[in-house]
Amino acid sequence: MKRIRTGALLAGALCVLTVVPAGAINTLDVAGAGMWATTSAAQNVLGRDGVNAAPPVQDAQSIGFTGLEKTVRANNQTIRGFQKTLNGIQNTDLDAQFFLQEMQYEAQYSQYKAEYDAYNDFINALGDPQDQTVQAQITMATRLRDLAAAGMSAMRKTIDGLDEAQEDAQEQLDDTYTATKKQLDNMANQIVVGAQSAYIGIVTTQEGIATLDRNLASLDRNIAVVEKQVELGMASQLTLDNLRQTRRTAAAQRETLTLMQTTTENQLSLLCGNTAATTVKVTTLPTVTEQQLSDMNFEEDLKEVMENSYSIWSAQDEARKASNDYEDNVTSTVDAYEAAKLNLEYAKENAENSFRKLYLDVQDKKRLLDEAKAAYDTEKKNFDVDALQYERGMISQLDYLTAQDDLAAKQDAVNTAEHDLFTAYNTYDWAKRGYMAGGAA
């Protein structure tokens, strides 16, 4: 039994990196502005004297998942910039702009009127219209007076149309604000989701490090045993060398995970609005409750998706604009309008199909969690037997410690399944709120 467990241990040490999701850090790459490269606390910096020196120690800030979204929305510099953009649009003073325009147009109207009156007075002041010279002057002055009259008429129409123009401008400004807010809200959601993905990645990485620590301890125990066996001629030097190489590989993997954790903590800290002098330390992940799972209703939740979906709103807005253009004869054919309607239908179908996949994914992750828990319960029973045998001296301490590792591995599987379920449920919940990774919602 000892050889079988030792072999499983060595195989597990080589593949332990699989507990870290491949997208844990890459998710940050699509979070848009608000993420910048940062020097990790584990990276060396070249000093003035050409000597490698560690970077300054960072302040550490503890943060939980529940308050993460609120923190990012309140402090992230990019999201705060979004709000300033919206405030700038909202505070646009059309009344003042159009009042100034009206004053300018009135001044031009007065200038045209002054010219009209001057030419009219000039014509009236001329002498005998039968005189050829006077006739020529009257003709020229009449043309100039008529030009001034035309300018007065055109300017009056412009002034009279200012109210309607201001209404149109206000409508366009409202449309601009709505569209900009939708777009910036979606980008803010993307940043928050990126922060949450980083948080989950850190928790997963920490558990991967803990697993490697346990595997390294087990390898140390087995190496000590095999070293003794080599001395007694019971094992080959090659077996010992292979064990030592396995340990070196596991130790290198641990260093990689440690660097990954530090880097992601710094990136998450920046997303939370901190400077490079501060990093964050995560606590735990929430667990999905049975009540939350039982409250899931595909048809009812799908209505929320359709109502809140950014991609559907965007397609609807394009269809509205195409319809307005067609009615105003801006477009010469109905092709643009028909294409916009087809795109809207596709957006709805895509959102529904994507949401159905998320719904089924939550169900599947719950099934895998139940299986992991059942496997743990079985292993716990086996461990209880091993513990009893160890108390009675029927198995060695090494076998007992190996049994502990086997039980801990099953607990790791439960933890991983719980995190996978939470990630799936969180993604499902975001879709209801209008954001779906990849833009499907």
Side-chain angles (χ1 to χ4, degrees):
M1 181 172 74
K2 179 170 67 177
R3 290 183 179 177
I4 295 176
R5 285 179 173 171
T6 302
L9 172 64
L10 299 183
L14 289 173
C15 65
V16 69
L17 279 179
T18 58
V19 302
V20 182
I25 293 183
N26 291 340
T27 310
L28 293 174
D29 293 340
V30 298
M35 278 195 329
W36 308 274
T38 181
T39 303
S40 88
Q43 185 178 8
N44 289 332
V45 179
L46 189 64
R48 286 185 305 173
D49 300 328
V51 179
N52 286 334
V57 176
Q58 296 172 295
D59 294 329
Q61 208 177 65
S62 179
I63 188 168
F65 190 90
T66 303
L68 179 60
E69 179 175 353
K70 182 179 179 180
T71 298
V72 173
R73 291 193 185 279
N75 301 322
N76 181 269
Q77 296 300 318
T78 302
I79 294 179
R80 293 176 69 179
F82 292 165
Q83 189 57 52
K84 291 180 180 179
T85 299
L86 291 174
N87 291 341
I89 298 174
Q90 195 172 36
N91 294 332
T92 300
D93 191 351
L94 290 179
D95 289 338
Q97 292 180 13
F98 275 86
F99 178 77
L100 180 60
Q101 284 187 12
E102 185 175 359
M103 293 299 98
Q104 293 172 342
Y105 293 152
E106 288 287 359
Q108 292 180 30
Y109 178 85
S110 298
Q111 182 178 348
Y112 283 130
K113 188 176 187 308
E115 292 176 2
Y116 177 89
D117 291 341
Y119 291 127
N120 194 57
D121 292 342
F122 176 75
I123 293 171
N124 293 332
L126 289 174
D128 184 6
Q130 300 301 321
D131 185 274
Q132 290 185 352
T133 302
V134 173
Q135 284 182 354
Q137 291 177 332
I138 291 175
T139 300
M140 180 61 68
T142 300
R143 290 176 180 173
L144 293 174
R145 185 187 64 180
D146 291 345
L147 287 175
M152 289 170 57
S153 177
M155 197 54 59
R156 179 51 59 192
K157 289 181 180 179
T158 300
I159 294 172
D160 292 341
L162 280 178
D163 288 342
E164 183 177 351
Q166 183 171 353
E167 291 179 2
D168 292 342
Q170 185 63 55
E171 183 177 341
Q172 292 177 2
L173 183 64
D174 292 341
D175 286 347
T176 298
Y177 178 84
T178 299
T180 303
K181 188 176 188 307
K182 285 284 188 179
Q183 293 168 1
L184 295 184
D185 283 348
N186 189 65
M187 292 174 65
N189 288 342
Q190 193 173 11
I191 292 174
V192 173
V193 170
Q196 291 182 345
S197 297
Y199 187 106
I200 295 171
I202 293 170
V203 172
T204 305
T205 301
Q206 287 176 337
E207 293 183 349
I209 292 173
T211 299
L212 280 170
D213 286 341
R214 188 172 62 250
N215 287 347
L216 287 169
S218 297
L219 284 167
D220 287 339
R221 293 195 300 268
N222 282 278
I223 288 173
V225 171
V226 174
E227 285 176 340
K228 191 65 176 177
Q229 291 176 340
V230 170
E231 291 179 9
L232 299 174
M234 299 173 60
S236 69
Q237 184 63 41
L238 180 60
T239 300
L240 179 59
D241 291 343
N242 287 337
L243 269 177
R244 287 172 174 169
Q245 180 57 47
T246 299
R247 193 196 186 286
R248 285 192 291 271
T249 300
Q253 290 173 345
R254 189 191 189 285
E255 289 185 14
T256 298
L257 288 185
T258 301
L259 178 60
M260 181 186 299
Q261 176 184 334
T262 301
T263 302
T264 312
E265 286 172 344
N266 288 336
Q267 290 174 330
L268 178 58
S269 180
L270 291 176
L271 289 175
C272 291
N274 298 322
T275 66
T278 302
T279 189
V280 294
K281 298 296 179 182
V282 304
T283 54
T284 59
L285 276 179
T287 56
V288 182
T289 66
E290 292 294 335
Q291 185 64 49
Q292 287 174 313
L293 294 174
S294 64
D295 287 343
M296 289 175 60
N297 183 301
F298 179 77
E299 295 298 333
E300 293 299 321
D301 293 344
L302 181 60
K303 293 178 182 178
E304 292 188 48
V305 174
M306 295 299 185
E307 181 179 350
N308 299 326
S309 168
Y310 172 76
S311 64
I312 291 178
W313 172 86
S314 181
Q316 287 173 334
D317 192 53
E318 290 300 320
R320 177 184 64 82
K321 291 177 181 177
S323 175
N324 292 340
D325 288 344
Y326 175 67
E327 292 175 359
D328 295 338
N329 294 320
V330 176
T331 54
S332 59
T333 68
V334 299
D335 291 345
Y337 179 45
E338 293 299 328
K341 289 196 296 184
L342 289 174
N343 186 55
L344 174 58
E345 290 304 314
Y346 172 77
K348 291 179 178 179
E349 291 291 337
N350 189 39
E352 181 174 350
N353 289 334
S354 298
F355 188 65
R356 179 180 287 105
K357 182 178 179 181
L358 295 180
Y359 178 87
L360 295 175
D361 189 47
V362 174
Q363 310 305 314
D364 185 56
K365 293 301 188 292
K366 177 60 168 65
R367 177 185 61 80
L368 293 175
L369 174 59
D370 291 340
E371 291 179 2
K373 287 181 176 179
Y376 173 83
D377 291 340
T378 300
E379 190 65 36
K380 180 63 168 63
K381 294 176 182 177
N382 293 332
F383 174 76
D384 290 341
V385 172
D386 289 335
L388 182 60
Q389 290 179 335
Y390 176 66
E391 289 178 4
R392 295 177 177 177
M394 299 173 63
I395 62 174
S396 67
Q397 183 183 32
L398 181 61
D399 285 340
Y400 173 71
L401 294 176
T402 302
Q404 277 188 331
D405 291 338
D406 291 342
L407 182 63
K410 296 299 182 182
Q411 181 61 58
D412 287 346
V414 172
N415 294 340
T416 298
E418 286 180 339
H419 297 166
D420 289 345
L421 174 60
F422 174 76
T423 300
Y425 181 84
N426 192 49
T427 303
Y428 179 88
D429 187 63
W430 269 109
K432 289 168 56 180
R433 296 170 59 183
Y435 177 83
M436 195 179 299

